Amino acid sequence: MKKHTIITIGRQFGSGGHEVGKRLADRLGIPLYDRNLIQMAAGRLGVSEDQAEAADERLWGNIQAVSAEAVDYADYVRTMKEEKPLNDQIFEAQSELIRHLARRESCIIVGRCADYILENEFPCINAFIYAEIRDRIARIMRLYNLNEEEAWEKIRKVDRERKAYYEIHTGNSWGSIEAHQMLFNVSLLDMADVVGVLAAMYRANR
């Protein structure tokens, strides 16, 4: 039986990687997995979504408590019998879920080191979405109702966390051509064109 084709999308924060995935999923009629992976992993581990989100695509040493739930998460980690940080458990749970979903159907997976997790088992189209900083700042200001300085700081923080998370778990360089088949600058290439290229590649692999 022919294996399913999986599209993985790495992305800089504020580049619109989720929107690319959503448009592509709508065009191809296949599922998109992004933040819903947090909910699924939380259910599998028996922790709250806030706890899972605090650990998602982050290394525990870099996490700062941002809510009461995040403080609860820190207490939870310190008292765990297995002494395994929750972020490691989230990575393992999401890895299992990603493999399960790839075995079940063709789909699009955003982030979560999916390109690395699936590379030896499934045909994958691996893309990385990035954009000029001015466009990313404008997008984050609009989406999160932040001023320019706040948006810039949020971008720096999230990108730093994603880069560390990806490189520690994969040994590859986040956002490099060595780790991804294609890099798309959506400040230079319209998002609709990126979706069109990825859709054509997906159909060519069917």
Side-chain angles (χ1 to χ4, degrees), residues 4-191:
H4 302 119
T5 299
I6 314 301
I7 300 173
T8 73
I9 299 177
R11 73 285 186 229
Q12 289 181 326
F13 186 63
S15 65
H18 174 82
E19 185 175 345
V20 169
K22 178 66 169 62
R23 291 190 189 186
L24 187 58
D26 290 343
R27 177 177 294 194
L28 297 176
I30 60 177
L32 169 68
Y33 296 102
D34 189 353
R35 292 185 60 81
N36 44 357
L37 284 169
I38 302 173
Q39 301 167 343
M40 296 164 73
R44 177 166 291 197
L45 293 173
V47 300
S48 73
E49 288 183 24
D50 284 340
Q51 289 172 337
E53 186 168 4
D56 182 54
E57 292 192 286
R58 296 177 177 89
L59 298 174
W60 168 237
N62 293 331
I63 296 175
Q64 296 180 347
V66 295
S67 67
E69 286 290 344
V71 173
D72 291 343
Y73 158 54
D75 292 337
Y76 174 85
V77 170
R78 283 194 295 270
T79 58
M80 284 175 58
K81 292 181 180 179
E82 295 182 357
E83 298 298 329
K84 179 180 288 188
L86 185 56
N87 68 293
D88 286 344
Q89 293 186 69
I90 293 293
F91 176 77
E92 291 171 5
Q94 288 188 338
S95 296
E96 292 176 6
L97 285 165
I98 286 168
R99 293 187 189 97
H100 168 75
L101 294 168
R103 284 191 293 267
R104 188 176 71 181
E105 59 193 347
S106 295
C107 59
I108 300 164
I109 302 174
V110 177
R112 282 85 193 177
C113 304
D115 57 310
Y116 173 79
I117 291 164
L118 299 176
E119 65 176 347
N120 295 322
E121 192 174 352
F122 296 91
C124 290
I125 298 168
N126 300 322
F128 189 89
I129 308 299
Y130 68 108
E132 304 301 328
I133 188 61
R134 64 180 183 277
D135 295 328
R136 296 165 64 199
I137 289 173
R139 184 180 185 86
I140 295 305
M141 288 175 64
R142 183 176 70 254
L143 291 177
Y144 292 88
N145 194 28
L146 301 175
N147 62 38
E148 184 173 348
E149 182 178 356
E150 291 169 335
W152 168 235
E153 286 302 318
K154 189 173 182 67
I155 287 169
R156 288 182 60 193
K157 178 178 183 293
V158 175
D159 273 358
R160 184 170 61 246
E161 290 170 343
R162 287 180 178 174
K163 174 180 171 64
Y165 182 89
Y166 181 87
E167 294 185 352
I168 287 294
H169 284 297
T170 70
N172 296 326
S173 180
W174 184 69
S176 70
I177 197 62
E178 290 78 20
H180 309 280
Q181 296 162 345
M182 295 160 292
L183 309 181
F184 292 103
N185 184 340
V186 293
S187 293
L188 301 178
L189 185 64
D190 187 81
M191 196 173 289

